Amino acid sequence: MFGVCEGMTPASEDEVTSFDNTPTPDQETKFDWSETIQGLVLGSFNYGYIMTQVVGGRLAERYGSKWVFGISILSGGVANLLAPTAARLHYGVLIALKVVQGFFQGVTGPSMHACLAHWIPPLERPRFVASVYFGTELGTALTLPLCGIIIHTMGWAAAFYVTGSFSIMWCLLWFSAMHSKPAQHPRISREELQYIENAIRNSGTSNKRPPRVPWKDIATSLPFWAILFCDLGNSWGTSLFKAQLPTFMKNILGFSITMVKPEFNFNYSNYCTI
């Protein structure tokens, strides 16, 4: 049995948010998908993503980060442009598209580190890697609310079109300005090139590719397995957070995609058990 707690007062009319029932673009073209199907769609990107984590770095070593990383981002942009059409055809088509997208984008992290190994002197890498990862998470933090505004004003499909278009435009800049190694850059100064190459050489590392991958040494390395399990836990939590946060805020917390206040009176402190 519930009753009003002593000393508590109900929420005033000013505290209760009023809502306009006029349909907005984000309410159009809704799909009658169960929560299981929604979970499969949201998680399908990761099914492909995990397949290319190991080979991504090796591909970048052999063919250059310019092409491996660039094609990865380009594929993500194209997949975003195709996502609304795939969703309207069938959720299975969308799941397949997201798996393929994850497959191509799984090489981004490893190829990025291969790029940094060629361009950044060892003593500067920790700070630079931290800045790169900070930029990645900052981009996610900014994109989520911006997509909410886009969806509310132009519809859910527009979020895919806008982000996909930005990815393709970024790739045009990347392919025109990026080079996999400092020695391949036509506009690098002789002083900067010598500084980078000398710093890498003096650290005991080399720009030359090894004749073979030491798979046995990797598989028997305890530090490798320690880092692997730590990253597994971190990636699991981060992926779950990114995939399920919008759904959790809407279905559990009751927040609209653009409203600051929840869609129901959240003053649970006004009630208690007797």
Side-chain angles (χ1 to χ4, degrees), residues 222-265:
L222 291 179
F224 165 77
W225 287 104
I227 294 174
L228 179 65
F229 281 110
C230 289
D231 187 66
L232 177 63
N234 175 71
S235 299
W236 173 270
T238 303
S239 301
L240 183 65
F241 177 81
K242 291 178 180 179
Q244 296 294 341
L245 178 62
T247 303
F248 177 81
M249 293 187 67
K250 179 180 179 181
N251 296 343
I252 305 302
L253 298 182
F255 279 89
S256 168
I257 201 165
T258 56
M259 289 184 175
V260 176
K261 291 187 177 183
E263 295 184 1
F264 57 91
N265 185 9

Side-chain angles (χ1 to χ4, degrees), residues 93-243:
V93 179
L94 180 59
I95 290 175
L97 177 66
K98 300 299 288 182
V99 171
V100 173
Q101 181 184 17
F103 181 86
F104 278 95
Q105 294 206 267
V107 304
T108 52
S111 62
M112 178 194 70
H113 284 279
C115 177
L116 298 181
H118 289 296
W119 274 96
I120 308 302
L123 293 178
E124 301 178 24
R125 284 177 193 167
R127 181 174 68 244
F128 200 88
V129 171
S131 300
V132 170
Y133 277 102
F134 172 76
T136 302
E137 301 306 325
L138 179 62
T140 302
L142 294 176
T143 302
L144 285 174
L146 287 177
C147 282
I149 297 174
I150 293 172
I151 293 171
H152 183 73
T153 56
M154 295 183 289
W156 63 269
F160 289 96
Y161 295 141
V162 171
T163 55
S165 299
F166 270 112
S167 296
I168 293 176
M169 288 189 292
W170 180 91
C171 285
L172 295 177
L173 178 63
W174 172 267
F175 286 124
S176 62
M178 178 59 188
H179 298 272
S180 298
K181 296 180 181 180
Q184 298 173 352
H185 201 295
R187 295 179 298 277
I188 192 173
S189 65
R190 181 180 299 273
E191 292 77 11
E192 184 178 6
L193 177 60
Q194 290 179 348
Y195 169 72
I196 295 174
E197 291 182 342
N198 291 337
I200 294 175
R201 188 182 306 110
N202 294 335
S203 67
T205 59
S206 174
N207 284 325
K208 296 181 179 180
R209 295 195 302 266
R212 62 180 182 84
V213 179
W215 295 113
K216 181 179 179 181
D217 294 335
I218 293 174
T220 56
S221 171
L222 291 179
F224 165 77
W225 287 104
I227 294 174
L228 179 65
F229 281 110
C230 289
D231 187 66
L232 177 63
N234 175 71
S235 299
W236 173 270
T238 303
S239 301
L240 183 65
F241 177 81
K242 291 178 180 179

Side-chain angles (χ1 to χ4, degrees), residues 65-102:
S65 298
K66 172 182 179 178
W67 298 107
V68 176
F69 190 91
I71 292 174
S72 172
I73 302 300
L74 179 62
S75 67
V78 173
N80 273 0
L81 295 178
L82 297 176
T85 302
R88 293 186 179 103
L89 290 174
H90 192 270
Y91 67 83
V93 179
L94 180 59
I95 290 175
L97 177 66
K98 300 299 288 182
V99 171
V100 173
Q101 181 184 17

Side-chain angles (χ1 to χ4, degrees), residues 8-75:
M8 295 291 183
T9 58
S12 63
E13 293 182 1
D14 293 336
E15 296 175 328
V16 178
T17 306
S18 60
F19 299 97
D20 184 5
N21 292 326
T22 303
T24 58
D26 65 291
Q27 295 172 329
E28 299 174 358
T29 322
K30 291 293 181 69
F31 301 101
D32 188 20
W33 293 347
S34 66
E35 292 188 4
T36 300
I37 294 175
Q38 293 179 41
L40 290 173
V41 171
L42 292 173
S44 56
F45 174 88
N46 297 292
Y47 305 152
Y49 192 79
I50 62 174
M51 297 180 187
T52 50
Q53 290 288 295
V54 175
V55 301
R58 188 58 177 169
L59 289 174
E61 289 177 347
R62 292 183 62 87
Y63 304 107
S65 298
K66 172 182 179 178
W67 298 107
V68 176
F69 190 91
I71 292 174
S72 172
I73 302 300
L74 179 62
S75 67

